[in-house]
Amino acid sequence: MYVGTLSFDLLLGDVRSLKEKRSVVRPIVAELHRKFAVSVAEVGDQDLHRRAEIGVAMVSGETGHLKEVLDRCERLVAARPEVELLSVRRRLHGDEDD
């Protein structure tokens, strides 16, 4: 069993309130979940209206499949014009990790 995680640090465009922030972040979270069947949530910077941290997690029996899906998730977020992807942290954990 392999577990992969991504953590996206995002800078939001012309957002002036937490309500506007939600209107940008929620569709990204929903699309990642719908397209790739991954667990996804806003996990940080909730009190800042121009920054967001989104976390993605996935479990798979094969590392190749896991890496492919995480790559596709990263490309989807990077292609969103309403956000600037500042950084991505990726972690892969396998059975041999104790």
Side-chain angles (χ1 to χ4, degrees):
M1 175 178 73
Y2 300 95
V3 178
T5 62
L6 292 172
S7 178
F8 298 108
D9 184 11
L10 304 175
L11 178 64
L12 308 182
D14 188 26
V15 173
R16 294 192 179 102
S17 69
L18 293 177
K19 184 177 180 180
E20 287 181 23
K21 175 185 179 175
R22 283 193 303 275
S23 72
V24 172
V25 172
R26 279 186 180 165
I28 295 170
V29 168
E31 186 175 9
L32 286 165
H33 179 69
R34 184 181 70 252
K35 280 190 170 185
F36 305 115
V38 294
S39 296
V40 58
E42 184 179 0
V43 295
D45 295 330
Q46 282 127 340
D47 56 341
L48 302 174
H49 64 270
R50 292 211 56 227
R51 294 290 292 272
E53 184 179 354
I54 296 176
V56 173
M58 181 182 169
V59 176
S60 179
E62 302 174 8
T63 58
H65 176 67
L66 184 64
K67 289 177 182 178
E68 178 185 326
V69 172
L70 294 179
D71 286 344
R72 291 172 65 197
C73 289
E74 186 174 340
R75 284 194 298 271
L76 183 143
V77 173
R80 298 295 293 238
E82 67 273 23
V83 299
E84 180 181 343
L85 182 57
L86 298 177
S87 69
V88 180
R89 289 180 299 284
R90 179 184 294 229
R91 292 198 175 116
L92 299 176
H93 307 278
D95 288 334
E96 63 278 356
D97 298 340
D98 289 330

